[in-house]
Amino acid sequence: MNLKELSDILGLSQTTVSRALNGYPEVSEATRRRVAEAARAHNYHPNTQAKRLATGRAMAIGHVIPISTQHEIVNPVFADFIAGAGEIYSRSGYDMVLTIVPDDEEEAAYRAFHSKRNIDGVIIHGPKLKDNRLKLLDSLGLPYVVHGRSSGILDPYSWVDVNNARAFERATTFLLDLGHRDIALINGIETMDFAYRRRKGFERAMVLRNTPVRDDLIYSGEMTEGQGYAAMNRMLALPVPPSAVLTSSLLGAMGARRAIEDKGLQMGRDISVLTFDDELGYLSNGGDEPIFTAARSSVREAGRLCARTLLNRIKEPDLPPETTLLEAVLVVGHSTGPAPFR
């Protein structure tokens, strides 16, 4: 099946069918759906090489993955993000180029993308505070979208982010409303923008309720099950342990739960646990009945949104920067309850 044959079946011009498959805005949504359904039914796949020649594009999106002993990109949420983004790339005829490099060679990887011209744009992962990658990509003229934001960058840029500060302010307020006062935070690496914003939201909720933020109940590090276990163990050994803990990942919450149960305590009764849930496809928070009370936002949907935004910018380079702020939903599970009497 080639483009002409598919066009004949649909009774449309080859130009219209091609534009429909490539998501051009001048083609109606109804036509796009009709063409997409016919392409699937007849197992039609565009010739990528021909598409590259016709558009002058590489028809590929770049992702640079740094290797580090301590970096949030190793967190398993990356796999779900790529699944969401890859879904959009596939529908639009784009390939994905992954480059894995040591941290100190990340800049060189972006420069290589630019010089080789083997990609049309990139998605930035794990933005840090005042992230210098944005300035570099602006200077290279490479279209990009940031998954997250970078505090301290004043020039406008395209991003898709969850409202981390608001999510953690609401989560902390929920625990305060249950009567908790000694609330712990097991956070991500706080040079990462998302973790910085989550701590700000946590602290804001505590200040608004005139509740002291205890330094001995704050921990930051890689978001792993082991991190959650170690941090929770340390806090449980304090003279005044927390009655509730807020974690930045489901893995961290699982580690905290293990530490709680190792001490013969019960999660939700003796100590409440509230977490951030990225709705990972392979790591469910209990399905219809959540195990953990959680601020929930789908990282897979964030991947789809980042991909769509970037492809739009590649098609229309003069578009102003586009930003999307997602709100997390607070889902109540079995891991939280009223503060125990002390």
Side-chain angles (χ1 to χ4, degrees):
M1 172 69 68
N2 58 34
L3 181 63
K4 182 179 185 306
E5 290 168 336
L6 181 63
S7 301
D8 290 343
I9 289 170
L10 288 163
L12 298 171
S13 70
Q14 293 182 50
T15 299
T16 299
V17 172
S18 176
R19 287 179 176 272
L21 291 169
N22 288 300
Y24 280 79
E26 60 265 32
V27 180
S28 71
E29 182 61 31
T31 299
R32 275 201 294 271
R33 282 199 302 268
R34 181 180 165 220
V35 171
E37 288 169 3
R40 283 194 296 271
H42 295 280
N43 198 29
Y44 171 77
H45 300 283
N47 185 310
T48 303
Q49 187 60 37
K51 204 170 181 181
R52 286 170 179 158
L53 292 171
T55 62
R57 299 183 190 134
M59 302 306 296
I61 302 299
H63 295 259
V64 176
I65 313 304
I67 301 172
S68 173
T69 56
Q70 190 182 58
H71 199 290
E72 287 302 345
I73 206 64
V74 303
N75 193 283
V77 301
F78 180 68
D80 259 45
F81 179 91
I82 286 296
E87 178 185 320
I88 302 304
Y89 300 155
S90 178
R91 289 178 184 174
S92 304
Y94 276 77
D95 295 324
M96 187 188 315
V97 178
L98 296 181
T99 297
I100 301 174
V101 297
D103 279 13
D104 58 359
E105 295 180 19
E106 192 172 359
E107 179 177 330
Y110 289 115
R111 293 189 182 279
F113 273 152
H114 177 254
S115 62
K116 292 177 182 177
R117 301 190 183 280
N118 60 337
I119 55 132
D120 298 307
V122 296
I123 289 180
I124 300 294
H125 300 278
K128 301 177 182 177
L129 305 176
K130 298 181 180 179
D131 200 309
N132 58 16
R133 291 176 293 177
L134 279 62
K135 185 176 181 180
L136 169 65
L137 291 172
D138 283 333
S139 70
L140 294 174
L142 267 177
Y144 66 90
V145 173
V146 180
H147 177 212
R149 282 176 284 175
S150 179
S151 298
I153 300 294
L154 301 180
D155 292 333
Y157 58 94
S158 293
W159 52 262
V160 175
D161 196 14
V162 65
N163 194 341
N164 286 293
R166 177 63 179 149
F168 271 55
E169 182 179 345
R170 287 184 64 205
T172 307
T173 300
F174 177 84
L175 293 172
L176 290 165
D177 287 343
L178 288 172
H180 296 281
R181 292 296 175 267
D182 296 300
I183 303 175
L185 173 65
I186 300 177
N187 202 8
I189 300 168
E190 291 184 351
T191 55
M192 310 296 287
D193 190 84
F194 79 91
Y196 167 79
R197 291 178 187 271
R198 289 178 184 182
R199 179 162 180 169
K200 289 295 182 185
F202 166 76
E203 291 175 338
R204 175 176 167 77
M206 297 288 276
V207 168
L208 288 175
R209 296 288 283 270
N210 298 312
T211 306
V213 175
R214 289 174 48 186
D215 290 340
D216 59 348
L217 295 184
I218 305 290
Y219 180 89
S220 68
E222 285 190 278
M223 299 190 302
T224 64
E225 195 272 349
Q227 173 233 29
Y229 181 76
M232 193 75 255
N233 264 329
R234 178 176 64 80
M235 293 173 182
L236 289 173
L238 294 170
V240 181
S243 65
V245 59
L246 184 60
T247 75
S248 265
S249 76
L250 190 58
L251 287 172
M254 292 167 66
R257 178 186 184 179
R258 180 161 65 94
I260 290 166
E261 292 177 348
D262 279 358
K263 298 294 184 184
L265 303 172
Q266 182 178 326
M267 181 178 72
R269 184 192 66 189
D270 301 305
I271 298 181
S272 290
V273 179
L274 198 157
T275 190
F276 192 90
D277 178 11
D278 291 289
E279 286 192 294
L280 302 183
Y282 51 89
L283 187 64
S284 173
N285 180 14
D288 293 336
E289 287 195 32
I291 297 168
F292 293 97
T293 298
R296 178 175 290 176
S297 181
S298 170
V299 71
R300 186 168 296 207
E301 180 59 21
R304 295 185 187 106
L305 289 168
C306 282
R308 288 192 192 106
T309 302
L310 181 56
L311 294 185
N312 285 340
R313 299 196 62 73
I314 291 168
K315 290 174 187 172
E316 300 185 55
D318 295 329
L319 283 175
E322 182 179 349
T323 62
T324 304
L325 185 61
L326 306 170
E327 293 293 341
V329 176
L330 189 64
V331 179
V332 179
H334 300 295
S335 66
T336 52
F341 178 77
R342 287 181 173 177

